Amino acid sequence: MTDRQTIERLLRVERGSVRLYEVILPELRGEARAAARHFLGQERRHVDALVLALRGMKVPVSDAVAPIPEPAGGARELIQVAIEHEQTCIRAYLSAQSSLKAPALLGGAAGAMATEAQQLAYLRGLLGDQPVPVAFVAGR
Amino acid sequence: MSGPPWNRRDFLRFTGLALGAAGSVGFAACGEDDRAEVGVPDPRATPQRDRAILNGALTLENTAVAAYATGLPLLRGEVRRAAERFLGQEREHAVALARLVREMGGEPNRPKPPAEYRAAFPRLPDEAAFLRFASDLENVAIAAYAEGIPKLKDARLRKLTSTIFCDEAQHATVLLGASHHGDPRIAVPEPFVTGKVRA
């Protein structure tokens, strides 16, 4: 897999993150809503950075969005959907660490992956679950 | 009893590590030549440098183990349970990194004697002081992983260290959450974790 293909895959996943938080944000209240709004802003930054990377390669940028889980139910269920999606993101970034070659892309992918991991921990905390259950975070 | 003043320079001197200049944030520094599409690996990456990076990370993990072990008697309740968990996880990281260094033909960096750590740590009179110290320590480790991971030649090592990097990032989120309850902007401060933003 080329760096271009890897970045395109990550972009689809991150566009999915933006869509997910846009959908669940109006349904949440209080601390959960504040978190979703903050995380939506961070996911948009990831999308912007990935688009910029593709433009730097002088290749067309697709609007494709990876499928996301169907959000439904109350706040607890919506947060659970976000948790599952964050794990999907972490797995995608972890896979990218194997396929990417350019150091700048590797660094960006690692930094974004760690933010997804922090968001995951925060969301788990909102549900009263153990926020950091394992020593090696692999999105599982 | 007062400890030495605590700052990152002291810590890096103590651990024998030096971080380079801040790396690029985001993905934008890929370059604008045609080779970028396929990606050009770092030509300086070698197995020897990989081993040195892992051994540097091991030193940080050994320090984190000593820090959590030192702080535990100060803590109660939920914070103590989190610190106990993090101590166990730092030990797991240290074991994994030492095994890798050994597999690569190196000698894993050993932990310093406990008294040496205690002398280098700041004065920790209470839980709040420990939370500040632990949070700073986690961020030093995060910054080291953020800079080290892209330099690793071996993709298998990049994946393993990324899983540790994410764990340290989660520790920082919990520690920041414990001292600034309920504010996601403080607990998850950066869209690209660098360890250079502190509450």
Side-chain angles (χ1 to χ4, degrees):
Chain A
M1 186 176 271
T2 65
D3 280 7
R4 173 190 173 175
Q5 290 168 321
T6 302
I7 295 298
E8 286 173 335
R9 176 169 180 246
L10 292 173
L11 179 57
R12 288 193 295 274
V13 174
E14 288 288 10
R15 287 197 198 280
S17 304
V18 169
R19 179 166 292 178
L20 178 69
Y21 281 111
E22 283 174 343
V23 169
I24 68 173
L25 179 60
E27 309 301 323
L28 299 172
R29 297 289 175 267
E31 186 183 346
R33 186 185 178 98
R37 185 187 297 116
H38 180 57
F39 298 166
L40 171 60
Q42 292 181 325
E43 306 298 8
R44 284 180 173 147
R45 290 281 300 275
H46 294 168
V47 167
D48 291 346
L50 290 161
V51 166
L52 206 57
L54 289 171
R55 288 194 181 137
M57 296 175 192
K58 297 189 172 71
V59 297
V61 178
S62 162
D63 289 334
V65 182
I68 56 170
E70 187 63 35
R76 191 172 180 85
E77 288 75 22
L78 296 177
I79 293 168
Q80 191 59 49
V81 168
I83 285 173
E84 287 165 20
H85 184 72
E86 292 295 355
Q87 289 178 314
T88 300
C89 291
I90 289 169
R91 290 196 297 274
Y93 277 111
L94 193 56
S95 170
Q97 286 297 326
S98 291
S99 55
L100 288 171
K101 307 285 187 303
L105 299 179
L106 285 165
M113 177 182 169
T115 297
E116 308 292 0
Q118 291 189 323
Q119 293 171 352
L120 173 62
Y122 198 93
L123 292 167
R124 280 179 174 145
L126 283 176
L127 294 186
D129 295 342
Q130 172 52 246
V132 193
V134 293
F136 302 90
V137 178
R140 294 189 172 83
Chain B
M1 187 180 81
S2 67
W6 178 258
N7 60 40
R8 288 181 177 218
R9 189 181 301 168
D10 292 338
F11 175 80
L12 295 172
R13 193 179 299 131
F14 172 67
T15 59
L17 292 175
L19 300 180
S24 63
V25 174
F27 301 83
C30 188
E32 295 199 350
D33 64 50
D34 293 338
R35 295 177 305 162
E37 188 176 333
V38 289
V40 181
D42 184 348
R44 295 164 298 176
T46 64
Q48 290 74 24
R49 189 166 79 162
D50 281 8
R51 196 172 67 197
I53 290 170
L54 295 184
N55 233 345
L58 175 57
T59 295
L60 290 169
E61 298 292 351
N62 287 334
T63 306
V65 168
Y68 281 111
T70 301
L72 273 182
L74 300 168
L75 310 176
R76 297 285 177 272
E78 197 177 322
V79 174
R80 184 187 176 98
R81 284 191 290 279
E84 285 171 340
R85 177 174 288 272
F86 296 171
L87 170 59
Q89 293 178 340
E90 305 296 9
R91 283 184 174 137
E92 287 188 63
H93 300 163
V95 167
L97 290 166
R99 189 175 60 238
L100 282 170
V101 170
R102 217 172 280 119
E103 283 173 8
M104 296 170 77
E107 181 65 29
N109 290 341
R110 292 177 184 281
K112 297 173 189 290
E116 208 171 314
Y117 284 113
R118 281 196 297 274
F121 290 165
R123 198 170 71 89
L124 297 170
D126 53 27
E127 181 175 294
F130 175 76
L131 286 173
R132 280 194 301 274
F133 170 57
S135 175
D136 195 33
L137 202 59
E138 292 286 2
N139 274 307
V140 170
I142 288 166
Y145 279 108
E147 299 209 11
I149 288 168
K151 294 176 181 166
L152 289 168
K153 179 182 177 65
D154 186 332
R156 184 181 61 114
L157 301 179
R158 285 200 301 271
K159 284 185 79 169
L160 177 90
T161 49
S162 293
T163 65
I164 299 175
F165 174 43
C166 287
D167 189 58
E168 308 295 3
Q170 291 186 330
H171 291 179
T173 286
V174 171
L175 293 167
L176 288 167
S179 48
H180 301 81
H181 193 67
D183 191 340
R185 295 168 302 176
I186 290 174
V188 188
E190 305 174 277
F192 296 89
V193 171
T194 64
K196 296 188 171 92
V197 173
R198 288 183 287 169

